[in-house]
Amino acid sequence: MSKYEPLWKYLKENNKEDYKLSYEEIRNILGFDIDHSFLTYKKESNEYGYEVGKISMKEKTIIFNKI
């Protein structure tokens, strides 16, 4: 089980076309801050029907798009 699985399940269960989540919202879902390892694990989101779009360090947001 991936440490990011709660985030992937959140995306799948809410079933929106796309999401723009702040780092704070993601922390609330996961219970911890995302770190550099997110770049390695982001491919897992495909298994839940989403792909990671733009990661904005400036805005501190991540866009997820439904596949």
Side-chain angles (χ1 to χ4, degrees), residues 4 8 21 56 58 61:
Y4 291 101
W8 312 144
L21 297 175
S56 174
K58 183 178 178 181
T61 58

Side-chain angles (χ1 to χ4, degrees), residues 51-64:
E51 65 183 0
V52 176
K54 183 178 180 185
I55 300 172
S56 174
M57 301 296 282
K58 183 178 178 181
E59 294 179 19
K60 297 186 178 186
T61 58
I62 300 176
I63 295 175
F64 299 91

